[in-house]
Amino acid sequence: LACLVTMRWIVIVPMANALGYYWEEQEEDRINPNKEFPYNIPNEVCMRTIAAQTMNELFQDHLFQLGVSFHTGQTAISYEWGTASHSHATSPDDESQKVISRAYAKAG
């Protein structure tokens, strides 16, 4: 564990959508932050929420090798890939994602 901490950056975002959590809704000012990232949507509907801007800044500043997300209301080991238009596509790093998700499941 000491090696992990000294050789890696660990970035923790305790609550990406703090306003939505406070108001007990997924949206921030009637905008779903999960749906406004600049991929297959017009630029004018991107990055309007504080939550999306926060996550965007993190990804602009760091090249993350691995991420873990804990969502409320969901118990799953999963990995994201693309959008609805990629729903049946295999991700470029599908094999490594399977290995990692199996290791998470085995760890309990």
Side-chain angles (χ1 to χ4, degrees):
L1 187 59
C3 179
L4 176 67
V5 173
T6 58
M7 302 297 290
R8 304 282 188 268
W9 279 77
I10 298 175
V11 177
I12 299 172
V13 179
M15 191 176 307
N17 185 4
L19 289 174
Y21 180 83
Y22 178 80
W23 293 110
E24 297 181 357
E25 57 188 39
Q26 184 175 0
E27 296 179 340
E28 179 183 315
D29 293 329
R30 295 187 304 260
I31 300 169
N32 184 340
N34 294 325
K35 308 281 190 232
E36 62 163 358
F37 288 91
Y39 187 78
N40 285 349
I41 61 172
N43 288 338
E44 56 272 5
V45 296
C46 297
M47 303 299 139
R48 297 171 294 167
T49 63
I50 295 169
Q53 291 171 26
T54 299
M55 298 310 294
N56 185 58
E57 290 297 318
L58 282 172
F59 281 88
Q60 291 289 329
D61 290 345
H62 304 283
L63 177 59
F64 291 103
Q65 298 296 316
L66 178 65
V68 178
S69 176
F70 297 99
H71 280 243
T72 58
Q74 178 183 13
T75 304
I77 296 173
S78 60
Y79 42 91
E80 299 296 327
W81 166 239
T83 63
S85 61
H86 291 96
S87 62
H88 298 291
T90 302
S91 74
D93 48 1
D94 187 65
E95 287 304 314
S96 63
Q97 289 178 336
K98 286 179 185 176
V99 169
I100 292 167
S101 63
R102 286 184 191 125
Y104 285 159
K106 195 174 191 179

